[in-house]
mmCIF file with all atom_site columns, all heavy atoms in Angstrom:
data_model
loop_
_atom_site.group_PDB
_atom_site.id
_atom_site.type_symbol
_atom_site.label_atom_id
_atom_site.label_alt_id
_atom_site.label_comp_id
_atom_site.label_asym_id
_atom_site.label_entity_id
_atom_site.label_seq_id
_atom_site.pdbx_PDB_ins_code
_atom_site.Cartn_x
_atom_site.Cartn_y
_atom_site.Cartn_z
_atom_site.occupancy
_atom_site.B_iso_or_equiv
_atom_site.pdbx_formal_charge
_atom_site.auth_seq_id
_atom_site.auth_comp_id
_atom_site.auth_asym_id
_atom_site.auth_atom_id
_atom_site.pdbx_PDB_model_num
ATOM 1   N N     . LEU A 1 172 ? -0.353  40.768 -19.013 1.00 90.00 ? 596  LEU A N     1
ATOM 2   C CA    . LEU A 1 172 ? -1.801  40.669 -19.027 1.00 90.00 ? 596  LEU A CA    1
ATOM 3   C C     . LEU A 1 172 ? -2.251  40.634 -17.575 1.00 90.00 ? 596  LEU A C     1
ATOM 4   O O     . LEU A 1 172 ? -1.781  39.789 -16.801 1.00 90.00 ? 596  LEU A O     1
ATOM 5   C CB    . LEU A 1 172 ? -2.198  39.366 -19.729 1.00 90.00 ? 596  LEU A CB    1
ATOM 6   C CG    . LEU A 1 172 ? -3.682  39.003 -19.726 1.00 90.00 ? 596  LEU A CG    1
ATOM 7   C CD1   . LEU A 1 172 ? -4.467  39.961 -20.592 1.00 90.00 ? 596  LEU A CD1   1
ATOM 8   C CD2   . LEU A 1 172 ? -3.867  37.579 -20.204 1.00 90.00 ? 596  LEU A CD2   1
ATOM 9   N N     . CYS A 1 173 ? -3.135  41.545 -17.199 1.00 88.00 ? 597  CYS A N     1
ATOM 10  C CA    . CYS A 1 173 ? -3.447  41.633 -15.768 1.00 88.00 ? 597  CYS A CA    1
ATOM 11  C C     . CYS A 1 173 ? -4.708  42.441 -15.550 1.00 88.00 ? 597  CYS A C     1
ATOM 12  O O     . CYS A 1 173 ? -4.920  43.470 -16.169 1.00 88.00 ? 597  CYS A O     1
ATOM 13  C CB    . CYS A 1 173 ? -2.287  42.320 -15.037 1.00 88.00 ? 597  CYS A CB    1
ATOM 14  S SG    . CYS A 1 173 ? -2.602  42.554 -13.286 1.00 88.00 ? 597  CYS A SG    1
ATOM 15  N N     . GLY A 1 199 ? -2.953  23.785 -10.896 1.00 86.00 ? 623  GLY A N     1
ATOM 16  C CA    . GLY A 1 199 ? -3.139  22.799 -9.829  1.00 86.00 ? 623  GLY A CA    1
ATOM 17  C C     . GLY A 1 199 ? -3.492  21.408 -10.306 1.00 86.00 ? 623  GLY A C     1
ATOM 18  O O     . GLY A 1 199 ? -3.892  20.572 -9.513  1.00 86.00 ? 623  GLY A O     1
ATOM 19  N N     . SER A 1 358 ? 2.700   9.612  -0.948  1.00 85.00 ? 782  SER A N     1
ATOM 20  C CA    . SER A 1 358 ? 3.921   9.835  -0.183  1.00 85.00 ? 782  SER A CA    1
ATOM 21  C C     . SER A 1 358 ? 4.249   11.315 -0.016  1.00 85.00 ? 782  SER A C     1
ATOM 22  O O     . SER A 1 358 ? 4.740   11.738 1.020   1.00 85.00 ? 782  SER A O     1
ATOM 23  C CB    . SER A 1 358 ? 5.086   9.113  -0.843  1.00 85.00 ? 782  SER A CB    1
ATOM 24  O OG    . SER A 1 358 ? 5.240   9.556  -2.171  1.00 85.00 ? 782  SER A OG    1
ATOM 25  N N     . SER A 1 598 ? 10.322  22.999 48.040  1.00 97.00 ? 1022 SER A N     1
ATOM 26  C CA    . SER A 1 598 ? 10.429  24.282 47.370  1.00 97.00 ? 1022 SER A CA    1
ATOM 27  C C     . SER A 1 598 ? 9.883   24.072 45.966  1.00 97.00 ? 1022 SER A C     1
ATOM 28  O O     . SER A 1 598 ? 10.381  23.246 45.214  1.00 97.00 ? 1022 SER A O     1
ATOM 29  C CB    . SER A 1 598 ? 11.894  24.718 47.342  1.00 97.00 ? 1022 SER A CB    1
ATOM 30  O OG    . SER A 1 598 ? 12.036  25.814 46.472  1.00 97.00 ? 1022 SER A OG    1
ATOM 31  P P     . G   B 2 1   ? 5.436   7.860  -4.144  1.00 54.47 ? 733  G   B P     1
ATOM 32  O OP1   . G   B 2 1   ? 6.828   7.944  -4.153  1.00 54.47 ? 733  G   B OP1   1
ATOM 33  O OP2   . G   B 2 1   ? 4.452   7.899  -3.153  1.00 54.47 ? 733  G   B OP2   1
ATOM 34  O "O5'" . G   B 2 1   ? 4.854   8.567  -5.461  1.00 54.47 ? 733  G   B "O5'" 1
ATOM 35  C "C5'" . G   B 2 1   ? 4.401   7.753  -6.552  1.00 54.47 ? 733  G   B "C5'" 1
ATOM 36  C "C4'" . G   B 2 1   ? 3.687   8.643  -7.524  1.00 54.47 ? 733  G   B "C4'" 1
ATOM 37  O "O4'" . G   B 2 1   ? 2.508   9.197  -6.887  1.00 54.47 ? 733  G   B "O4'" 1
ATOM 38  C "C3'" . G   B 2 1   ? 4.483   9.857  -7.989  1.00 54.47 ? 733  G   B "C3'" 1
ATOM 39  O "O3'" . G   B 2 1   ? 5.254   9.530  -9.125  1.00 54.47 ? 733  G   B "O3'" 1
ATOM 40  C "C2'" . G   B 2 1   ? 3.400   10.858 -8.328  1.00 54.47 ? 733  G   B "C2'" 1
ATOM 41  O "O2'" . G   B 2 1   ? 2.839   10.593 -9.602  1.00 54.47 ? 733  G   B "O2'" 1
ATOM 42  C "C1'" . G   B 2 1   ? 2.339   10.560 -7.261  1.00 54.47 ? 733  G   B "C1'" 1
ATOM 43  N N9    . G   B 2 1   ? 2.455   11.377 -6.048  1.00 54.47 ? 733  G   B N9    1
ATOM 44  C C8    . G   B 2 1   ? 2.750   10.926 -4.799  1.00 54.47 ? 733  G   B C8    1
ATOM 45  N N7    . G   B 2 1   ? 2.757   11.871 -3.893  1.00 54.47 ? 733  G   B N7    1
ATOM 46  C C5    . G   B 2 1   ? 2.451   13.024 -4.606  1.00 54.47 ? 733  G   B C5    1
ATOM 47  C C6    . G   B 2 1   ? 2.322   14.360 -4.160  1.00 54.47 ? 733  G   B C6    1
ATOM 48  O O6    . G   B 2 1   ? 2.450   14.790 -3.018  1.00 54.47 ? 733  G   B O6    1
ATOM 49  N N1    . G   B 2 1   ? 2.011   15.225 -5.196  1.00 54.47 ? 733  G   B N1    1
ATOM 50  C C2    . G   B 2 1   ? 1.848   14.839 -6.496  1.00 54.47 ? 733  G   B C2    1
ATOM 51  N N2    . G   B 2 1   ? 1.547   15.811 -7.369  1.00 54.47 ? 733  G   B N2    1
ATOM 52  N N3    . G   B 2 1   ? 1.967   13.584 -6.934  1.00 54.47 ? 733  G   B N3    1
ATOM 53  C C4    . G   B 2 1   ? 2.264   12.737 -5.938  1.00 54.47 ? 733  G   B C4    1
ATOM 54  P P     . G   B 2 34  ? 26.661  20.749 49.870  1.00 54.47 ? 766  G   B P     1
ATOM 55  O OP1   . G   B 2 34  ? 27.985  21.141 50.396  1.00 54.47 ? 766  G   B OP1   1
ATOM 56  O OP2   . G   B 2 34  ? 25.577  20.453 50.812  1.00 54.47 ? 766  G   B OP2   1
ATOM 57  O "O5'" . G   B 2 34  ? 26.152  21.840 48.857  1.00 54.47 ? 766  G   B "O5'" 1
ATOM 58  C "C5'" . G   B 2 34  ? 27.026  22.880 48.458  1.00 54.47 ? 766  G   B "C5'" 1
ATOM 59  C "C4'" . G   B 2 34  ? 26.625  23.382 47.084  1.00 54.47 ? 766  G   B "C4'" 1
ATOM 60  O "O4'" . G   B 2 34  ? 26.674  22.269 46.158  1.00 54.47 ? 766  G   B "O4'" 1
ATOM 61  C "C3'" . G   B 2 34  ? 25.220  23.949 47.021  1.00 54.47 ? 766  G   B "C3'" 1
ATOM 62  O "O3'" . G   B 2 34  ? 25.189  25.012 46.079  1.00 54.47 ? 766  G   B "O3'" 1
ATOM 63  C "C2'" . G   B 2 34  ? 24.395  22.798 46.455  1.00 54.47 ? 766  G   B "C2'" 1
ATOM 64  O "O2'" . G   B 2 34  ? 23.268  23.197 45.747  1.00 54.47 ? 766  G   B "O2'" 1
ATOM 65  C "C1'" . G   B 2 34  ? 25.411  22.135 45.536  1.00 54.47 ? 766  G   B "C1'" 1
ATOM 66  N N9    . G   B 2 34  ? 25.153  20.717 45.336  1.00 54.47 ? 766  G   B N9    1
ATOM 67  C C8    . G   B 2 34  ? 24.268  19.937 46.000  1.00 54.47 ? 766  G   B C8    1
ATOM 68  N N7    . G   B 2 34  ? 24.273  18.696 45.599  1.00 54.47 ? 766  G   B N7    1
ATOM 69  C C5    . G   B 2 34  ? 25.219  18.666 44.592  1.00 54.47 ? 766  G   B C5    1
ATOM 70  C C6    . G   B 2 34  ? 25.662  17.605 43.778  1.00 54.47 ? 766  G   B C6    1
ATOM 71  O O6    . G   B 2 34  ? 25.296  16.437 43.785  1.00 54.47 ? 766  G   B O6    1
ATOM 72  N N1    . G   B 2 34  ? 26.645  18.005 42.889  1.00 54.47 ? 766  G   B N1    1
ATOM 73  C C2    . G   B 2 34  ? 27.136  19.279 42.804  1.00 54.47 ? 766  G   B C2    1
ATOM 74  N N2    . G   B 2 34  ? 28.058  19.486 41.902  1.00 54.47 ? 766  G   B N2    1
ATOM 75  N N3    . G   B 2 34  ? 26.732  20.286 43.559  1.00 54.47 ? 766  G   B N3    1
ATOM 76  C C4    . G   B 2 34  ? 25.778  19.903 44.418  1.00 54.47 ? 766  G   B C4    1
ATOM 77  P P     . U   B 2 36  ? 19.903  30.088 44.060  1.00 54.47 ? 768  U   B P     1
ATOM 78  O OP1   . U   B 2 36  ? 21.300  30.316 43.640  1.00 54.47 ? 768  U   B OP1   1
ATOM 79  O OP2   . U   B 2 36  ? 19.199  31.083 44.876  1.00 54.47 ? 768  U   B OP2   1
ATOM 80  O "O5'" . U   B 2 36  ? 19.044  29.798 42.762  1.00 54.47 ? 768  U   B "O5'" 1
ATOM 81  C "C5'" . U   B 2 36  ? 19.532  28.922 41.764  1.00 54.47 ? 768  U   B "C5'" 1
ATOM 82  C "C4'" . U   B 2 36  ? 18.387  28.460 40.884  1.00 54.47 ? 768  U   B "C4'" 1
ATOM 83  O "O4'" . U   B 2 36  ? 17.538  27.595 41.664  1.00 54.47 ? 768  U   B "O4'" 1
ATOM 84  C "C3'" . U   B 2 36  ? 17.505  29.593 40.365  1.00 54.47 ? 768  U   B "C3'" 1
ATOM 85  O "O3'" . U   B 2 36  ? 17.027  29.211 39.089  1.00 54.47 ? 768  U   B "O3'" 1
ATOM 86  C "C2'" . U   B 2 36  ? 16.340  29.578 41.349  1.00 54.47 ? 768  U   B "C2'" 1
ATOM 87  O "O2'" . U   B 2 36  ? 15.152  30.086 40.807  1.00 54.47 ? 768  U   B "O2'" 1
ATOM 88  C "C1'" . U   B 2 36  ? 16.214  28.087 41.618  1.00 54.47 ? 768  U   B "C1'" 1
ATOM 89  N N1    . U   B 2 36  ? 15.581  27.742 42.898  1.00 54.47 ? 768  U   B N1    1
ATOM 90  C C2    . U   B 2 36  ? 14.282  27.273 42.852  1.00 54.47 ? 768  U   B C2    1
ATOM 91  O O2    . U   B 2 36  ? 13.673  27.152 41.807  1.00 54.47 ? 768  U   B O2    1
ATOM 92  N N3    . U   B 2 36  ? 13.738  26.962 44.066  1.00 54.47 ? 768  U   B N3    1
ATOM 93  C C4    . U   B 2 36  ? 14.339  27.059 45.282  1.00 54.47 ? 768  U   B C4    1
ATOM 94  O O4    . U   B 2 36  ? 13.725  26.710 46.294  1.00 54.47 ? 768  U   B O4    1
ATOM 95  C C5    . U   B 2 36  ? 15.682  27.561 45.245  1.00 54.47 ? 768  U   B C5    1
ATOM 96  C C6    . U   B 2 36  ? 16.249  27.878 44.077  1.00 54.47 ? 768  U   B C6    1
ATOM 97  P P     . A   B 2 38  ? 22.520  28.273 34.392  1.00 54.47 ? 770  A   B P     1
ATOM 98  O OP1   . A   B 2 38  ? 22.628  28.761 35.771  1.00 54.47 ? 770  A   B OP1   1
ATOM 99  O OP2   . A   B 2 38  ? 22.907  29.138 33.277  1.00 54.47 ? 770  A   B OP2   1
ATOM 100 O "O5'" . A   B 2 38  ? 23.329  26.935 34.233  1.00 54.47 ? 770  A   B "O5'" 1
ATOM 101 C "C5'" . A   B 2 38  ? 22.763  25.661 34.514  1.00 54.47 ? 770  A   B "C5'" 1
ATOM 102 C "C4'" . A   B 2 38  ? 23.792  24.609 34.198  1.00 54.47 ? 770  A   B "C4'" 1
ATOM 103 O "O4'" . A   B 2 38  ? 23.637  24.221 32.819  1.00 54.47 ? 770  A   B "O4'" 1
ATOM 104 C "C3'" . A   B 2 38  ? 25.238  25.054 34.322  1.00 54.47 ? 770  A   B "C3'" 1
ATOM 105 O "O3'" . A   B 2 38  ? 26.031  23.887 34.488  1.00 54.47 ? 770  A   B "O3'" 1
ATOM 106 C "C2'" . A   B 2 38  ? 25.530  25.611 32.971  1.00 54.47 ? 770  A   B "C2'" 1
ATOM 107 O "O2'" . A   B 2 38  ? 26.892  25.630 32.629  1.00 54.47 ? 770  A   B "O2'" 1
ATOM 108 C "C1'" . A   B 2 38  ? 24.793  24.597 32.102  1.00 54.47 ? 770  A   B "C1'" 1
ATOM 109 N N9    . A   B 2 38  ? 24.345  25.107 30.827  1.00 54.47 ? 770  A   B N9    1
ATOM 110 C C8    . A   B 2 38  ? 23.959  26.368 30.472  1.00 54.47 ? 770  A   B C8    1
ATOM 111 N N7    . A   B 2 38  ? 23.594  26.481 29.226  1.00 54.47 ? 770  A   B N7    1
ATOM 112 C C5    . A   B 2 38  ? 23.762  25.199 28.722  1.00 54.47 ? 770  A   B C5    1
ATOM 113 C C6    . A   B 2 38  ? 23.554  24.640 27.473  1.00 54.47 ? 770  A   B C6    1
ATOM 114 N N6    . A   B 2 38  ? 23.104  25.328 26.437  1.00 54.47 ? 770  A   B N6    1
ATOM 115 N N1    . A   B 2 38  ? 23.827  23.341 27.302  1.00 54.47 ? 770  A   B N1    1
ATOM 116 C C2    . A   B 2 38  ? 24.268  22.639 28.338  1.00 54.47 ? 770  A   B C2    1
ATOM 117 N N3    . A   B 2 38  ? 24.498  23.041 29.580  1.00 54.47 ? 770  A   B N3    1
ATOM 118 C C4    . A   B 2 38  ? 24.229  24.345 29.698  1.00 54.47 ? 770  A   B C4    1
ATOM 119 P P     . U   B 2 73  ? -2.791  22.724 -6.305  1.00 54.47 ? 805  U   B P     1
ATOM 120 O OP1   . U   B 2 73  ? -2.856  21.690 -5.283  1.00 54.47 ? 805  U   B OP1   1
ATOM 121 O OP2   . U   B 2 73  ? -3.114  22.403 -7.704  1.00 54.47 ? 805  U   B OP2   1
ATOM 122 O "O5'" . U   B 2 73  ? -3.730  23.912 -5.895  1.00 54.47 ? 805  U   B "O5'" 1
ATOM 123 C "C5'" . U   B 2 73  ? -5.111  23.771 -6.217  1.00 54.47 ? 805  U   B "C5'" 1
ATOM 124 C "C4'" . U   B 2 73  ? -5.918  24.823 -5.540  1.00 54.47 ? 805  U   B "C4'" 1
ATOM 125 O "O4'" . U   B 2 73  ? -5.857  24.632 -4.115  1.00 54.47 ? 805  U   B "O4'" 1
ATOM 126 C "C3'" . U   B 2 73  ? -5.411  26.252 -5.706  1.00 54.47 ? 805  U   B "C3'" 1
ATOM 127 O "O3'" . U   B 2 73  ? -5.824  26.740 -6.962  1.00 54.47 ? 805  U   B "O3'" 1
ATOM 128 C "C2'" . U   B 2 73  ? -6.108  26.954 -4.562  1.00 54.47 ? 805  U   B "C2'" 1
ATOM 129 O "O2'" . U   B 2 73  ? -7.445  27.233 -4.878  1.00 54.47 ? 805  U   B "O2'" 1
ATOM 130 C "C1'" . U   B 2 73  ? -6.101  25.871 -3.478  1.00 54.47 ? 805  U   B "C1'" 1
ATOM 131 N N1    . U   B 2 73  ? -5.065  26.113 -2.463  1.00 54.47 ? 805  U   B N1    1
ATOM 132 C C2    . U   B 2 73  ? -5.335  27.090 -1.535  1.00 54.47 ? 805  U   B C2    1
ATOM 133 O O2    . U   B 2 73  ? -6.344  27.755 -1.554  1.00 54.47 ? 805  U   B O2    1
ATOM 134 N N3    . U   B 2 73  ? -4.373  27.258 -0.591  1.00 54.47 ? 805  U   B N3    1
ATOM 135 C C4    . U   B 2 73  ? -3.176  26.561 -0.495  1.00 54.47 ? 805  U   B C4    1
ATOM 136 O O4    . U   B 2 73  ? -2.413  26.819 0.420   1.00 54.47 ? 805  U   B O4    1
ATOM 137 C C5    . U   B 2 73  ? -2.976  25.571 -1.493  1.00 54.47 ? 805  U   B C5    1
ATOM 138 C C6    . U   B 2 73  ? -3.909  25.387 -2.422  1.00 54.47 ? 805  U   B C6    1
ATOM 139 P P     . A   B 2 76  ? -7.502  36.594 -12.290 1.00 54.47 ? 808  A   B P     1
ATOM 140 O OP1   . A   B 2 76  ? -7.357  36.771 -10.855 1.00 54.47 ? 808  A   B OP1   1
ATOM 141 O OP2   . A   B 2 76  ? -8.558  37.289 -13.006 1.00 54.47 ? 808  A   B OP2   1
ATOM 142 O "O5'" . A   B 2 76  ? -6.115  36.913 -13.004 1.00 54.47 ? 808  A   B "O5'" 1
ATOM 143 C "C5'" . A   B 2 76  ? -5.195  35.859 -13.306 1.00 54.47 ? 808  A   B "C5'" 1
ATOM 144 C "C4'" . A   B 2 76  ? -4.354  36.300 -14.494 1.00 54.47 ? 808  A   B "C4'" 1
ATOM 145 O "O4'" . A   B 2 76  ? -5.216  36.494 -15.624 1.00 54.47 ? 808  A   B "O4'" 1
ATOM 146 C "C3'" . A   B 2 76  ? -3.649  37.638 -14.238 1.00 54.47 ? 808  A   B "C3'" 1
ATOM 147 O "O3'" . A   B 2 76  ? -2.317  37.625 -14.679 1.00 54.47 ? 808  A   B "O3'" 1
ATOM 148 C "C2'" . A   B 2 76  ? -4.449  38.649 -15.040 1.00 54.47 ? 808  A   B "C2'" 1
ATOM 149 O "O2'" . A   B 2 76  ? -3.633  39.609 -15.661 1.00 54.47 ? 808  A   B "O2'" 1
ATOM 150 C "C1'" . A   B 2 76  ? -5.109  37.789 -16.123 1.00 54.47 ? 808  A   B "C1'" 1
ATOM 151 N N9    . A   B 2 76  ? -6.459  38.308 -16.353 1.00 54.47 ? 808  A   B N9    1
ATOM 152 C C8    . A   B 2 76  ? -7.570  38.155 -15.573 1.00 54.47 ? 808  A   B C8    1
ATOM 153 N N7    . A   B 2 76  ? -8.634  38.765 -16.020 1.00 54.47 ? 808  A   B N7    1
ATOM 154 C C5    . A   B 2 76  ? -8.189  39.367 -17.187 1.00 54.47 ? 808  A   B C5    1
ATOM 155 C C6    . A   B 2 76  ? -8.821  40.165 -18.131 1.00 54.47 ? 808  A   B C6    1
ATOM 156 N N6    . A   B 2 76  ? -10.088 40.513 -18.053 1.00 54.47 ? 808  A   B N6    1
ATOM 157 N N1    . A   B 2 76  ? -8.101  40.618 -19.157 1.00 54.47 ? 808  A   B N1    1
ATOM 158 C C2    . A   B 2 76  ? -6.816  40.268 -19.239 1.00 54.47 ? 808  A   B C2    1
ATOM 159 N N3    . A   B 2 76  ? -6.098  39.515 -18.419 1.00 54.47 ? 808  A   B N3    1
ATOM 160 C C4    . A   B 2 76  ? -6.853  39.094 -17.399 1.00 54.47 ? 808  A   B C4    1
#
Side-chain angles (χ1 to χ4, degrees):
Chain A
L596 174 69
C597 177
S782 58
S1022 168

